[in-house]
Amino acid sequence: MSDTAKQATGAARQQPDAAGPRKPGLVLALLAACALMIVLDSTVVYVALPQIQQSLEMSGTGLVWVVNAYALAFGGLMLLGGRAGDIVGQRRVLLVGLVIFGVASLLCGLAPSPEVLIAARALQGVGAALVAPTSLSLIPINFTDDAARNKAIGVYTGIAAAGGTLGLIIGGVLSDAASWRWVFFINVPVVALVLLLAPGAVKESQPQRGSFDVVGAVTSTGAMVALVYALVRTSTESWGDPVVLVCLAVAAVLFTVLLLAERRARQPLLPLRLFTDRVRASGFVTLLFFPAAFAGLFFFLTQYFQGVWSYSALRTGFAFVPAAILVLVAAVLTGQLVPKLGPSVVAGIGAVLTTVAMLWLTQLSADGGYATSLLGPLVLGGFGAGLIYASVTASIMSNVAPEVTGAASSVLQAVQQIGPALGLAVLVTAAGTPADPVEGMRRAFWVAAVIAALPAVLALFNRRARTS
């Protein structure tokens, strides 16, 4: 019996209620709300930055840290958050993370100074690092039937993937209609509602008894913080910047120590058996590189809409709505497509569609029209992204043993966190600083097309491996 089959069999045996939750709609709504809230807070703040700067008299450097403080804490503690759920209980850690996130959101909205806002954003990131991996890992625990689980994962990933665009729209509406502070206050009632309903609706995982991997916790957190900071810094500095090089070196050393330590740990923070299954390992690679390409679509088209076409921030958000809708539609459809075609085929189709979208964008020009030049790539890219995110997430989370569900979820979301930062660092370098900014965007989209094609190659490899 293969490693994947053994894990799937073990998962079925350890789940006491194969019928799933009594109120599956409510459970999925609560978990998806967690995912949406976490993703929203990664983008919703962008539109509010001008008001924040004026209200708190914040410097440009301070504004950067309003964004980066959240990203660093979120990415740095992701592995720790997921594994804590395995050991303590996924639902328990989720609720703790929600409390931290809700309190931090309230502090952000009430912040009287730049320092308080940045500190509260870091605390938000701590809460997000607990909520994100545990909310996803609770899906296979609560939805044990294959069809129901694939459908739930499709809805969850679709809502999470579409949340970035929704964040731009909500941020613009709240900032214009009320105040930038409501960008953060809006989280509080959502957190309160989930805290009220989740204990009675969401089934808890079986805690894994044993000692906590202190060495793994320290090295993984340090490595992730160093890596994320290095990638974030490349947005303003070159790859040759001494701080970037030192951070990358520190991350490499700490990751090496982590891998060596985890081989001997009795209850490792990062179980290396997660990477022994070829399909799962290629899924992690896909979720590292694909977001790297897809992030470029949003990053450069945002500049295009505002810099070339003089769109407002709110109008820019609405311009991305077709992509957001198609991400959600494709992710939901994936639950029906995966049982018929297999996750590798579905992911391959998504990769091909997204690669075509990136190639289409290499023809970008300053005098193009939205319907003729951009609607097509947004539709293709959004639909392709939904297929990839949902199918790869399902293939990773469906065949993992229950005792390492949180670890698998944290690795999955950690690579998704690193991917966009890595992609933007590479694509911004590829774009350069030409006299014509649109020419730089075209160069970046050529590179993005190459990166987006990688999941198609992996899907073909996995398909052949399974049929040979």
Side-chain angles (χ1 to χ4, degrees), residues 304 357-368 373 438 442 445-446:
Y304 181 84
M358 297 300 176
L359 290 173
W360 193 336
L361 289 170
T362 63
Q363 306 305 307
L364 201 64
S365 64
D367 56 357
S373 302
V438 178
R442 287 196 290 263
F445 283 123
W446 277 112

Side-chain angles (χ1 to χ4, degrees), residues 2 5 70 92 105 139 145 153 179 190 209 211 258 273 282 321 323 333 353 369 388 395 411 419 434:
S2 66
Y70 181 82
R92 186 174 291 111
S105 297
I139 289 182
D145 176 73
I153 288 177
S179 162
V190 178
R209 304 299 179 188
S211 59
L258 173 64
R273 61 185 166 120
S282 66
V321 166
L333 287 177
L353 291 176
I388 287 183
S395 69
V411 173

Side-chain angles (χ1 to χ4, degrees), residues 87-130:
I87 296 172
V88 179
Q90 302 292 351
R91 190 183 66 190
R92 186 174 291 111
V93 173
L94 171 69
L95 298 179
V96 171
L98 284 170
V99 170
I100 295 173
F101 190 85
V103 170
S105 297
L106 185 61
L107 291 175
C108 285
L110 296 173
S113 67
E115 294 77 14
V116 173
L117 178 58
I118 292 170
R121 282 287 285 172
L123 187 61
Q124 261 193 324
V126 174
L130 300 178

Side-chain angles (χ1 to χ4, degrees), residues 179-191:
S179 162
W180 65 266
R181 297 182 184 277
W182 281 97
V183 167
F184 302 108
F185 285 149
I186 194 174
N187 292 325
V188 178
V190 178
V191 167

Side-chain angles (χ1 to χ4, degrees), residues 262-276:
E262 299 305 86
R263 294 176 62 182
R264 297 188 296 270
R266 296 183 60 184
Q267 195 168 24
L269 185 82
L270 183 64
L272 299 184
R273 61 185 166 120
L274 289 174
F275 307 98
T276 58

